[in-house]
Structures are given as structure tokens and as C-alpha cells.
Amino acid sequence: MSYTVIVLLILGGSVWTYSGWNESSQSLDGELITQQVSRGPFRITIAERGTLESQSNVQLASNVEGTTTILDIVPEGTEVEVGQVVCVLDSSSIADKEQQQQITLTDARSKLHQAEEAVEIQETQNESDISKALLNYELAELDLDKYENGDYVQELNELQSNITLAEENLLQSEEDYQFAKRMSRKGYKTLNEVETARIAVSDTQLKLDIAKSKLNVLKTYTYERTIKELKENAKETERERVRVERAGKSALSQATAELEARQLTLKVEEDKLRKYQEQIEACIIKAPQAGKVIYNNSSSRRNESESIEEGTSVRERQVIIKLPDLTKMKVEARIHESRIRMLRAGLPAEIRVDALPGQLFKGKVSTVSSVPLSSSWMSPNLKEYAAEVEISGTDEQIRLLRPGMTAEIEIIVAQENDVLQIPVQAAVSIGRDYYVYTIVDGKPERREISPGETNGKAIEVLDGIADNMTVVLNPRTAFAKEISDFQELKARERRAEEPEAVDEVIEVIDNNSTASNTGGKGEGKRRGEGRQKNGGGKGESKGESESDTASANTGSGRPGGGDTNAFFSQMDKDSDGKISKEEAPGRMADKFTEIDANSDGFIDQSELKSAFAKMTSGAGAE
């Protein structure tokens, strides 16, 4: 008896020696492995592996920029108190930078003091220059007023007085000259005296003319020129005052900008010094809470071990030590996207820890991430969501757990106590329908069933068989020829009724491709979905993927055991030995590029067989 048979006997099954067949089948001899159908508890679960962590886990990481080296670290497993030094990192290079920064900071302070003095000096200089310019402006205005209302009036009066005096002198001279001429005719004056009187008249006349000429020059030229010069000088001093004010403001603004730059430089240098000092302080890592020291050993992408010990180089933000609260534990797991829809907070779970075989822990789902985790560079298309399961139990049980232990969690999604069920290997999927082989009056008989939920081990049966019936567990091997012939018969019937049936082949390829990406753990549909015989097929389940694969592996050449040549001939309408996109029906046209492996615009028989082979590789064999 084979090892498989022995195992099934232990599980409650039985072995039949069969040498007959029903009226619709070919007779064959084979060894049948059977099991009685029964009702019992049926549980739908999500099983995953995860890592134990504390619910309150303080992580102590390196806050030193770049990389540094561990100089001293407390032994792993040490109980520490709040504020106790647990790790010392190398700060020698930072200390050298801190000393150099002290020198730079001193220089920055000196330059700031110089800039402050320059601002004060410029402010004083501006006051002096503006005062001097204002004084020059006021003096120019005063000179203008002094000439216009003082010097000019005085000079004008003097010239007018000189003219009046010259006119009087001329009148007197003319009288003297006339008198001299009269006296000369009488013999009292000589001709010389008369000539002297005449000359005196000419002289006073000349003086009068000169006085009038000076007055004319004063009014016509001197006054106008002097007034213009004094007014322009007043305007120029006003402009100079404005220039001095602007120049002073500009110089003061420049000095102030230099001062602000020096102030900013000083702040930057102070911040840099403070940063170095903080980095030196960060090299001394203290415990923020009491707990047990656990090293955060890990592996790199190259699978190189990164052990925490003295002399190890650590990166910035790299976690060095964990201080967990060991009285509250949880399991962190990654759930594939295909099953995340079934998961929600509050679902009960059972936990088995690898390090504690035989012990079962209870728990419940506490959190489920709403966004996927970052994909690995090796599997960029893998989408997984983080989930946490809180572990409940007595203090003695929880104290046995340690962070980092590997555990297997089984999250109970649904559970019913009275469900008719069969092992998944007993079901055979043919197209959209499911069948089992039962033993009736000592003979095997094929029956169609309506499947419900599946949990990967058993399938819920809604209709088709009853309690205490016996089903065959190895139908694919015992009735391989019968199954192959029946599949071909169903395929011919469907081709006759539904020419577009090849679309389902494409759908199966898609489903199996998805199952392959998720490790063959596809989930069953909810109870009652898609159970009409002729209207959309049976509910899909994990067993379907396995059954499809097993049926396809009978060597028939297409899913379900049919002949790819028949499919190909049906679609090759022009009989040219290849299928164009126009000839491809339904969803095969949508998948045309994917099936056309050599991208020549046609699908040949080898490419169609490769597509079917891809389908059959989507799930594991029996």
C-alpha cells in the first residue's frame, strides 16, 4: 500500500479496489481512495506567517548624520532603567568639527562687531555731512537775500548819489564858467582863469557821465549776473544737500546690509556649532523607558547579516536597540492584496509560535493598513498590506514570547458549525461545472454538485450529494480517460451552443495567471454567487484552480482535456493555418497581443498551445 493511501486511512478514508464502471463509462481497473461525506464545522481563514513584536516597542536609532561606529553597548537581554546609558557611539570626528566650529564662530562674532561699528560710524558721518550741506544751503539763500536787499540797494543808492552830486557840481561849474567869462570881458578875469573854469565844467560833465554809466552797468549787467549766480548757487547747495542725504542713506543701507549678513552668518555658525554639540550628545543613547535590551539585528538586500555589536558601523536613523514592553505582544504580518478584502479589525485569530510548538495563543486583528507596503526591488509588482494581530493570554503565557520570534497566524474570517463538505481533491471542474464521483451500490457514479465556499482544504457542497455518501478522493487518476472524454463532450456541446466559448478559456488563463502570482491561494466567492447551472457558471474557489490544473494535466492538449486543434480549426475561418485578430472571437481579440508571442500579427497552433500551457501552469498539480 502506498504512503498516500496509508495517510488517508489514518485520516478516516478507505481504499476501494475497483474493476467496473457505470453504463456511460469505459471500464477500467484502479485503486480508489474514498471518504464518507459528513457535516461539521467549516472555517474560512487567512493563514500567514509573521513576526512577534511588542505592542509598545520603543526603538532607539542612531541620530548621528552619516555613519558612525558603536564604541560601547550594554549586553543584549539586560534590564535597564529610565535614563540609563545603553549605547555609546564614536563622536571623535564630530568633536574635531566642533572645535573648528568654535574658531569659525569667534571670527564671525568679530566681524559682526566690526559691522556694528561701521553702522554707527556711518550714521555719525551722515549727520555731519547733512548738517554741513544744510548750512551751505542756508548761507547761499542768505547771500542771495543780502545782495538783493542789501548790497545792491546800497550800491544803487551810492551811484544815484554820485550822479546827483555830479549834476550839482556840473551846474556849479557851468555857473562859475559863465561868471568867469563875464568877468573876463570886464577885465577882472584872465583867459587862463576862464579856461580853467571851462575845464572844470568838462571834468564835472565827465564825472556825471561816468556815474550814470556805472548806474546803467549796475542795473543792466551786474545786478542780473549776480542775482543769477547767487540763485544758482542756492539751488546747487540744495541739490548738494539732497545728494549728501541720499549718499548717506546708501552708505548706511550698505553698512546695515553688511551688519545683517554678519548677524545671519553668526546665527548660521551658532546653529552649526549647536548641531555638532547635539550630534555629540546623540552619541550617548539613553533608555527613555525601562525595559529589556534587544539588538535590532537584520539582513541587507544582499542577504549580508548586519549584527549589532561593538565596532559595528551604523547609519543615520538605523535602529540599534529595541526596548519592548514584553507584557503586551502582537504579530506583524503582510497580507496579499487578493485576500485583504476579507480582512477587518476585530476578527479573531489563532497564533502558533515556531519556538513554542504545541502551544496555541488567541488574539484578534487590531489594525489593517489601507495602503500597500513598499514593494521589494526583486518583486516590484507584489502588493501586500500590513496587518497586526494582538495576542491575548495570561502573564505566564505572554512572558514566554520574545520579539523577533516567527509565528503563524490563522485569522478566522467566517465559521459555521453544520456544513456539508468534501475534500478539495474530490471535486473535478469541467468547464464551469463541478463533479464528484460517489460510490453507489459498490459502483462509482459521477454527480454534478453546486459548490459554496472553500478554505483550501475542503469545499462546501450546497447541492448534489447528501450526508454519509462516499466520494472518491483520487478521481483524476482513477478516471482520467473518463474525465478527458467527458470534457471533450462538454466542449463540443458548448461550441455548438456558444461559438464564443473560447472567451472562457481566456478568462481561465487570466484567473490562473492571477492565482500563480498569489501563490495559488485564490479565494472562493461568497455563498450563493453564480450558482445557476446555465447562467454564469458555478462559484469559483481554491478547489477550482487545483481541479482545473489536474484536469488539464491529463495530457489532452487544452484546459479541460479538449483538443486545441478543434479550437484552432473553428477560429481559422479562412483555413490559412493561422488566426488573425479579425478571426479571433471575443476576449481572445483583447488578449491577442499577449498570445501572439512572436508579434507577427497572427496566432499559430504552437502559440495557442503555449497559451493553454500557461493556463495549466497557473496552479499546482494534485
Side-chain angles (χ1 to χ4, degrees), residues 179-198:
F179 179 74
K181 286 194 302 182
R182 287 194 305 270
M183 290 295 105
S184 171
R185 286 193 295 267
K186 292 180 179 183
Y188 298 110
K189 295 285 185 179
T190 64
L191 292 174
N192 288 335
E193 289 175 332
V194 173
E195 184 63 22
T196 299
R198 188 191 66 78

Side-chain angles (χ1 to χ4, degrees), residues 291-312:
K292 181 177 289 186
V293 173
I294 296 177
Y295 293 169
N296 187 48
N297 296 317
S298 60
S299 297
S300 66
R301 290 182 176 178
R302 299 179 180 178
N303 293 325
E304 297 175 354
S305 177
E306 298 180 348
S307 300
I308 300 299
E309 58 185 9
E310 293 181 2
T312 298

Side-chain angles (χ1 to χ4, degrees), residues 49-59 322 324-333 351 353 361-367 386-393 398 401-409:
R49 297 185 66 79
T51 304
L52 290 184
E53 291 292 346
S54 171
Q55 294 183 31
S56 175
N57 190 17
V58 176
Q59 296 182 338
K322 295 181 180 179
D325 181 358
L326 300 182
T327 63
K328 298 179 180 179
M329 301 296 290
K330 65 180 179 180
V331 181
E332 295 181 349
I351 302 100
V353 181
F361 295 85
K362 299 292 185 179
K364 67 176 181 178
V365 178
S366 57
T367 60
E388 295 182 358
V389 176
E390 295 180 354
I391 302 176
S392 58
I398 299 300
L401 305 177
R402 292 290 181 272
M405 286 183 173
T406 302
E408 181 176 348
I409 59 172

Side-chain angles (χ1 to χ4, degrees), residues 96 176 240 256 314 347 360 362 396 406 419:
D96 293 339
D176 290 340
E240 180 64 19
T256 302
V314 292
L347 288 178
L360 179 65
K362 299 292 185 179
E396 293 181 356
T406 302
V419 174

